[in-house]
Amino acid sequence: MKNRFRLYRRARSRVFYVHDSVSGKQESLGTRDRAEAVLLVTARNESFRQPHLNLQLARAYLAGSDSGIGTRTWQDALNIIVESKSKQGSTQKRWRCAAKEAALDDIRNRIIIETQAEHLLACLKAGTVSTNVHLRKLHNFCLSMNWLPWPIIPKRLWPEVRYRPRRAITIEEHRLIIEREKNPERRDFYELCWHLGGSQSDLANLSADDIDWPNQTIAYHRQKTGSLAMIHFGESIAAVLRRLPASGPLFPYLRTVRSGDRSTEFKQRCDGLGIKGVSLHSYRYAWAERAKVAGYPERFAQEALGHNSKAVHRAYARKALVKLPSLESYEKQAAQGNIIRMPLPPVEPSCIRLVGAAG
């Protein structure tokens, strides 16, 4: 059988190249050693002559360092991720749901080392956005564990994750929901969502002990990250808090309801009012956009909603519109000796440095 790849050397650089007689492509082997170049070209030719045997040889070599390489399936990898101690709470629940997706049935019992790109692409085509997110993480997990010698799908060729458009709830929509809601506990819950912008699980689990009335602050640990959130509240929030229990859970019933059920109840109320495209998470977007329009410093918004909150990043990057004064108005004010100044956040005393001070 005629060899597909032919070896040659370029005279100027003395580097060996390989020529593909089928595609006409020429590629550098990155070596000036003839013995090494011959070995590389021979391996390429052999790989096209007997691909099935080459797979068995590769498996035999890999089995020397990993005895489970020939039997480990994608379901085994999913089980390890789900049972990992690093996956707790809501993250672990999401992985448990992802592991049961029907879109993964085609690769569930397939051996990892024998998986082709076509298999993963078929799963992505049959699945949803969640499939794309979790299958990508599963693929990268197998790479990190050295269960895959190389990526099945290169990083830049993975289909882009496209989430459904999300928007903030408007004050008019919020008022409609509050006016229609007859259940006082749910009505107060939606009010706090508007004023605090917290996640629904964090707010539903608030208790009276989280409220510091003398300092007018609410402090709680976020369930998702474990970080402490501390928010100062004004009269509007105080009026809502006074209607809630003075001891124990603020929302005794809602804290026992699953987050998915709380979301479903909210969606039912929105559908009844003809409100489309919002969810309980839209209150976080609304809070962030209100903060942006009001000139609230971004670092304060990050402390309130979380430094990794997409709501803050989205609002402060492009979504919220702020009417900026024109340069002409600044020039006129400067000419009159009355320069407009934007309010600045307080500076720690340790950050103040006197001009001309030593050091």
Side-chain angles (χ1 to χ4, degrees), residues 132-188:
N132 192 340
V133 172
H134 287 93
L135 185 56
R136 187 191 300 250
K137 292 180 180 179
L138 177 63
H139 173 265
N140 292 339
F141 174 77
C142 293
L143 279 173
S144 301
M145 297 295 290
N146 292 324
W147 295 341
L148 282 171
W150 49 74
I152 299 177
I153 301 178
K155 182 178 180 181
R156 62 185 179 86
L157 296 182
W158 274 88
E160 183 182 356
V161 177
R162 296 181 181 274
Y163 294 100
R164 289 182 301 173
R166 295 181 180 181
R167 67 175 180 86
I169 188 170
T170 65
I171 182 62
E172 292 79 12
E173 292 169 337
H174 170 66
R175 286 172 179 167
L176 282 175
I177 294 171
I178 294 302
E179 291 171 0
R180 180 69 65 88
E181 183 57 59
K182 303 301 181 184
N183 184 289
E185 183 175 345
R186 284 199 186 92
R187 185 173 59 248
D188 292 337

Side-chain angles (χ1 to χ4, degrees), residues 88 90-91 94 199 202 221-227 281 308:
Q88 300 291 334
S90 60
T91 303
R94 283 193 293 271
S199 69
D202 290 336
H221 288 279
R222 295 204 61 205
Q223 291 190 2
K224 184 177 181 179
T225 62
S227 60
H281 203 74
N308 294 325

Side-chain angles (χ1 to χ4, degrees), residues 202-217:
D202 290 336
L203 297 187
N205 285 277
L206 285 176
S207 67
D209 295 335
D210 297 326
I211 306 173
D212 183 356
W213 282 103
N215 294 315
Q216 288 193 298
T217 58

Side-chain angles (χ1 to χ4, degrees), residues 75 78-79 81-84 87-101 104 108 134:
Q75 184 62 51
L78 282 169
N79 293 338
I81 292 177
V82 170
E83 297 168 3
S84 172
K87 303 292 185 293
Q88 300 291 334
S90 60
T91 303
Q92 188 179 56
K93 291 180 182 178
R94 283 193 293 271
W95 269 105
R96 289 189 184 278
C97 293
K100 298 176 183 178
E101 285 191 28
L104 300 182
R108 193 177 303 280
H134 287 93

